[in-house]
Amino acid sequence: MVFKGGGMTFYIKQTNHFIANGVDDKTLRMRLKEQGLDARRLSRFTQLALLGAIPLKPYIDENTGIYLGSLFNSPSKFNKMFHQLMEQNLPSPLDFMANINNAATFQLTQTLQTCTNSIFLAVNHQTIWQPLKLALLDLENDEISSALIGWTIEKSEHSEQTEGAVFWLISKDGENSERKLDLLSLENSMSENLDFLSHIKTITP
């Protein structure tokens, strides 16, 4: 799949998705344990991001930038902190650290062994492609060798959104490209009624 941007062409090299609807916390931790990771202190959101990204590790080098977008970070961890604070007047520093916006990207850079740009972006249905746009800009400026772009959703209570993660690995290397994809058409493709991850997964090659 080919992207046109800023006069340059970019290619999706690899993709992966992990859908977690109905998967409990224990199962997520076990899956990460199979990868050699201790997930006991990680938020569910971070676990979902890791399970979506880890299969792409063989294709990633230390100069791969990481760009992660989400509607919200970890609703379950936030609710736990809030109730603990309200009921016991006792904030949990460890829960707070697990829920800050860059916790997931920090874990991704550690696990994937990258040492260049990484960022978490809060997005909505109008700004869903911001992580992709930023990644393409950094690629065009040769700040990174490739870009790992991901969208992760931890489902909150009563939410009908698909839970999980979708990741694309993009570079300027055109080998094995499939088809062109217009960024403008992507931007016009979302509405507030669409399932966030399902839509991204549908257009993923």
Side-chain angles (χ1 to χ4, degrees), residues 1-5 8-15 56 59-61 63-67 129 131-140 144-151 167-174 181 183 186 204-205:
M1 184 175 287
V2 186
F3 288 90
K4 294 286 188 178
M8 300 192 67
T9 303
F10 306 92
Y11 303 87
I12 292 186
K13 307 299 294 180
Q14 299 288 334
T15 65
L56 300 179
Y59 310 100
I60 290 170
D61 62 43
N63 293 315
T64 297
I66 296 175
Y67 305 81
W129 304 117
L132 174 61
K133 288 181 176 180
L134 185 57
L136 295 182
L137 182 62
D138 286 348
L139 277 170
E140 187 170 3
I144 54 176
S145 61
S146 59
L148 182 68
I149 302 120
W151 296 267
F167 279 87
W168 297 353
L169 182 65
I170 293 179
S171 79
K172 291 192 286 188
D173 178 5
L181 187 60
L183 277 176
L186 283 180
T204 298

Side-chain angles (χ1 to χ4, degrees), residues 19-69:
I19 302 303
N21 291 340
V23 180
D24 60 23
D25 291 343
K26 182 178 179 181
T27 301
L28 293 182
R29 290 194 297 269
M30 288 299 296
R31 293 197 181 189
L32 285 170
K33 187 176 181 180
E34 293 170 358
Q35 303 289 335
L37 297 177
D38 182 357
R40 286 176 296 176
R41 286 294 182 184
L42 302 181
S43 69
R44 183 177 177 89
F45 178 87
T46 297
Q47 293 177 50
L48 294 171
L50 286 168
L51 287 166
I54 285 174
L56 300 179
K57 185 175 181 179
Y59 310 100
I60 290 170
D61 62 43
E62 64 179 8
N63 293 315
T64 297
I66 296 175
Y67 305 81
L68 183 63

Side-chain angles (χ1 to χ4, degrees), residues 15-205:
T15 65
N16 187 64
H17 66 266
F18 176 78
I19 302 303
N21 291 340
V23 180
D24 60 23
D25 291 343
K26 182 178 179 181
T27 301
L28 293 182
R29 290 194 297 269
M30 288 299 296
R31 293 197 181 189
L32 285 170
K33 187 176 181 180
E34 293 170 358
Q35 303 289 335
L37 297 177
D38 182 357
R40 286 176 296 176
R41 286 294 182 184
L42 302 181
S43 69
R44 183 177 177 89
F45 178 87
T46 297
Q47 293 177 50
L48 294 171
L50 286 168
L51 287 166
I54 285 174
L56 300 179
K57 185 175 181 179
Y59 310 100
I60 290 170
D61 62 43
E62 64 179 8
N63 293 315
T64 297
I66 296 175
Y67 305 81
L68 183 63
S70 180
L71 299 173
F72 196 82
N73 194 351
S74 180
S76 62
K77 188 69 72 174
F78 178 84
N79 289 336
K80 178 183 176 183
M81 286 192 302
F82 179 77
H83 288 302
Q84 187 174 15
L85 182 61
M86 295 301 292
E87 294 172 5
Q88 304 175 26
N89 195 29
L90 182 65
S92 169
L94 291 176
D95 284 343
F96 176 78
M97 289 176 64
N99 194 56
I100 58 177
N101 286 343
N102 66 349
T105 51
F106 173 78
Q107 293 295 333
L108 287 170
T109 58
Q110 292 290 298
T111 302
L112 302 175
Q113 299 179 315
T114 64
C115 59
T116 186
N117 301 354
S118 64
I119 188 170
F120 173 89
L121 293 172
V123 298
N124 58 33
H125 290 83
Q126 284 73 45
T127 60
I128 181 176
W129 304 117
Q130 285 301 112
L132 174 61
K133 288 181 176 180
L134 185 57
L136 295 182
L137 182 62
D138 286 348
L139 277 170
E140 187 170 3
N141 291 332
D142 292 322
E143 294 185 17
I144 54 176
S145 61
S146 59
L148 182 68
I149 302 120
W151 296 267
T152 301
I153 297 292
E154 178 189 330
K155 184 183 293 186
S156 58
E157 190 176 3
H158 308 306
S159 171
E160 297 182 358
Q161 291 284 332
T162 296
E163 183 175 50
V166 177
F167 279 87
W168 297 353
L169 182 65
I170 293 179
S171 79
K172 291 192 286 188
D173 178 5
E175 187 177 356
N176 298 323
S177 61
E178 295 184 10
R179 64 183 177 89
K180 293 182 180 180
L181 187 60
D182 185 356
L183 277 176
L184 182 59
S185 67
L186 283 180
E187 291 180 331
N188 294 330
S189 67
M190 294 298 293
S191 77
E192 292 184 3
N193 297 321
L194 284 175
D195 185 329
F196 193 85
L197 279 188
S198 291
H199 179 72
I200 298 173
K201 190 162 72 72
T202 298
I203 64 174
T204 298

